[in-house]
Amino acid sequence: MTSSSVSPLKRRRLSALIGATLLFLLLHILHNWWHSSFKFSVTVAENHHRNQEEMPNEDHCVPLRGLENIFIIIRTGFSEAHRKLTPLIETTLPCLPHYGIWSDLEETYAGQHIANALDEIDPELITSHSDFEYYRRLQEHGENAFSAEELASWKQAPNTDRGRDTPGWKLDKWKFLPLAKKAYSQHPTSPWYMFIECDTFVFWESLLEWLRNFDSTKPLYIGRQMHLGDKVFAYGGAGILISNPGMGMLVARYTSNIELYNTLTINEWAGDYILGKAMSDVGIELFHAWPTLEGDMPATLDFKSTSPAGIHFWCYYATTYHHLTPQDIYDYVELEQSRRFKNRNLLSNGDIFRLVVFPLMKPEVVDWDNLSTDVQNGDLSFNECLKACESKPDCLQFSLSNRTCRTSKVIKLGKERPQERPLDEIVSSGWMIERVIAFMDAMEASCNGRLWTLP
């Protein structure tokens, strides 16, 4: 035997070692593939794009007892309809037995009929009032009514204390009462009617379980309470629920006093307030549904806030959120599918924080604003801002913008703030991870089970 020869025993050992290595690599690859298949991500952290084949379809629908008892009123507008309706068409709508979609332009999109919400408004009012200039252009020119510059500027328009500053938003207030009439005419026997928007996400199983605590044969008006001075009404984006008797009374009141409510609509800015005023006029007061119905998105919420009962928002079942992006809608549907697949309990707001919000919190994230508010003295670097937060036992997060340091006792995820131009400020954010973990444990310990807002 030469010195380069390998004995049969050594060859067998070498073959076994190579085989074991290959088996390990194969198992490792399969392990990573399996976990990545169930990975839940949110657009704000990872802006990935789905192919059409990956979109959920009718197969994800499961029979939900009671869903047939709700007529869903989906309110949208031309400037957002195609962008925001697509996720609903590909996820939620195939599962809904009864619904209608209304906008300020009648059209067909992706096989869905979008009806005109305003076609029964007094023609003289449409011709003469400035609120309807946008609507008049739409009816005359259709999808070519506005320039690309106009559409882009409206998309970027800021929210003000009187709502979003766009002509489409100002027109939106005219839709609420006509839609109540249209929905009631289309489906007059529905036990419940629910107003939602395209960027409202509904956890349907939670909603249906919660609604079993209410008697739909009584006149009821349920929603997330919102204040306009001393006036209280249900916020439209969180979902508004009206029982069948309540809707009948509302429609009768509106149709016999149309001029009165047209005048009210001219003088007010919020359509959901006008709906609430009409409900109050027939003697149906709002059932305050927050925290069960929520008017914002988890990334901006304070999960430690407390209900009128003194219970943390964390402890309530997640039932509705608002202002979700199209990708958020897909991701929450995916999360719900995963929960059902694993036969888990209904999700609480605390579960949403653990599963969706917390995984995106890091010691440092560039081009991100976590909505910290408490300005610290001095011209600080990121590390100095971190140390300023560390020095405060109750500081949970911080951000730095143009060397201005802000800290916060309230945990929020916030939103992406990319630097779009070279001279734009760079915003970086950070969280005290160990303190956030302690916060989650404390919140969980404060809950005595999960609950809804009940009558």
Side-chain angles (χ1 to χ4, degrees):
M1 178 183 294
T2 65
S3 59
S4 60
S5 300
V6 179
S7 69
L9 179 58
K10 288 184 177 180
R11 279 199 300 270
R12 286 196 296 271
R13 288 175 177 173
L14 182 59
S15 297
L17 178 60
I18 293 172
T21 302
L22 290 174
L23 178 60
F24 173 81
L25 289 173
L26 178 61
L27 291 173
H28 181 70
I29 291 168
L30 289 172
H31 177 271
N32 288 341
W33 173 85
W34 174 259
H35 281 273
S36 66
S37 297
F38 290 93
K39 182 182 177 183
F40 175 75
S41 60
V42 179
T43 299
V44 290
E46 179 179 342
N47 188 22
H48 65 279
H49 297 279
R50 295 168 180 261
N51 294 322
Q52 185 68 29
E53 305 83 51
E54 295 174 314
M55 300 299 186
N57 53 42
E58 291 90 340
D59 295 337
H60 79 278
C61 297
V62 295
L64 297 178
R65 183 171 64 90
L67 192 56
E68 72 281 359
N69 294 327
I70 308 177
F71 185 88
I72 311 299
I73 303 163
I74 303 168
R75 194 185 83 260
T76 186
F78 166 75
S79 63
E80 67 173 26
H82 294 190
R83 176 171 49 91
K84 291 187 176 181
L85 265 177
T86 300
L88 293 186
I89 292 170
E90 294 176 336
T91 60
T92 302
L93 292 191
C95 308
L96 301 179
H98 311 297
Y99 67 90
I101 308 171
W102 283 274
S103 179
D104 34 39
L105 179 68
E106 183 173 10
E107 59 178 326
T108 298
Y109 174 68
Q112 295 286 331
H113 177 241
I114 303 174
N116 189 332
L118 304 170
D119 58 359
E120 295 180 303
I121 298 284
D122 181 0
E124 184 177 342
L125 189 62
I126 288 177
T127 301
S128 61
H129 198 278
S130 60
D131 278 356
F132 291 94
E133 180 184 353
Y134 174 90
Y135 179 73
R136 293 193 295 268
R137 288 175 64 183
L138 262 181
Q139 305 319 299
E140 184 175 352
H141 302 290
E143 62 182 19
N144 299 316
F146 311 110
S147 67
E149 290 76 17
E150 286 176 307
L151 294 173
S153 67
W154 296 334
K155 187 177 179 181
Q156 300 300 322
N159 282 312
T160 70
D161 58 358
R162 295 179 67 83
R164 196 169 179 82
D165 188 20
T166 68
W169 196 93
K170 292 173 183 176
L171 183 65
D172 187 69
K173 66 180 180 178
W174 290 94
K175 298 172 185 171
F176 283 80
L177 290 178
L179 286 189
K181 177 176 178 285
K182 288 175 181 292
Y184 191 65
S185 298
Q186 185 170 327
H187 209 293
T189 61
S190 181
W192 292 102
Y193 301 86
M194 185 176 189
F195 291 79
I196 65 169
E197 299 176 16
C198 292
D199 57 354
T200 305
F201 187 82
V202 182
F203 294 84
W204 292 105
E205 289 180 66
S206 179
L207 179 81
L208 293 171
E209 190 68 31
W210 175 57
L211 276 183
R212 293 187 183 107
N213 295 282
F214 297 87
D215 185 352
S216 64
T217 66
K218 295 180 179 179
L220 297 174
Y221 166 49
I222 302 170
R224 192 247 192 270
Q225 58 270 30
M226 186 173 180
H227 295 266
L228 186 62
D230 61 349
K231 306 162 188 172
V232 183
F233 58 97
Y235 174 55
I240 300 173
L241 287 147
I242 300 176
S243 66
N244 184 279
M247 187 65 97
M249 294 167 68
L250 169 67
V251 171
R253 170 72 182 179
Y254 168 59
T255 54
S256 60
N257 296 274
I258 289 179
E259 189 173 338
L260 169 69
Y261 289 105
N262 283 346
T263 301
L264 179 66
T265 305
I266 289 170
N267 294 321
E268 297 290 346
W269 61 269
D272 35 14
Y273 162 70
I274 296 158
L275 176 68
K277 176 65 168 63
M279 295 300 294
S280 180
D281 289 343
V282 295
I284 306 175
E285 298 304 322
L286 174 68
F287 175 80
H288 294 199
W290 186 84
T292 293
L293 303 183
E294 172 52 56
D296 221 324
M297 60 195 302
T300 62
L301 295 175
D302 174 8
F303 283 74
K304 193 178 180 180
S305 60
T306 56
S307 70
I311 300 168
H312 290 124
F313 177 78
W314 178 284
C315 304
Y316 286 82
Y317 286 110
T319 308
T320 66
Y321 293 134
H322 185 221
H323 294 139
L324 272 66
T325 68
Q327 186 63 52
D328 289 339
I329 300 290
Y330 291 122
D331 289 334
Y332 276 91
V333 168
E334 189 176 317
L335 180 64
E336 276 282 81
Q337 287 176 317
S338 176
R339 178 191 65 79
R340 292 191 197 105
F341 177 76
K342 297 173 182 177
N343 199 27
R344 299 283 174 82
N345 294 329
L346 298 175
L347 294 167
S348 68
N349 293 314
D351 293 327
I352 297 299
F353 188 97
R354 287 186 181 275
L355 293 169
V356 180
V357 176
F358 176 64
L360 304 175
M361 294 178 170
K362 309 294 179 186
E364 180 178 2
V365 181
V366 180
D367 291 336
W368 196 275
D369 182 3
N370 65 10
L371 309 178
S372 295
T373 55
D374 301 332
V375 178
Q376 304 301 302
N377 293 327
D379 181 18
L380 304 182
S381 68
F382 186 85
N383 285 337
E384 289 169 335
C385 190
L386 163 63
K387 292 185 183 301
C389 186
E390 280 181 335
S391 68
K392 305 174 187 294
D394 55 358
C395 179
L396 298 169
Q397 64 178 48
F398 60 95
S399 67
L400 187 75
S401 172
N402 281 354
R403 299 188 68 84
T404 298
C405 175
R406 293 177 175 84
T407 62
S408 181
K409 303 174 186 177
V410 176
I411 301 176
K412 292 184 179 182
L413 178 60
K415 55 189 176 181
E416 191 176 17
R417 277 281 301 276
Q419 187 184 21
E420 297 179 352
R421 294 178 295 272
L423 296 180
D424 286 353
E425 63 180 2
I426 298 175
V427 183
S428 297
S429 296
W431 290 264
M432 311 300 290
I433 300 300
E434 291 186 3
R435 294 179 185 179
V436 176
I437 293 172
F439 163 82
M440 292 192 293
D441 292 342
M443 285 296 96
E444 201 61 46
S446 75
C447 301
N448 184 18
R450 299 289 187 251
L451 66 160
W452 292 282
T453 310
L454 298 176

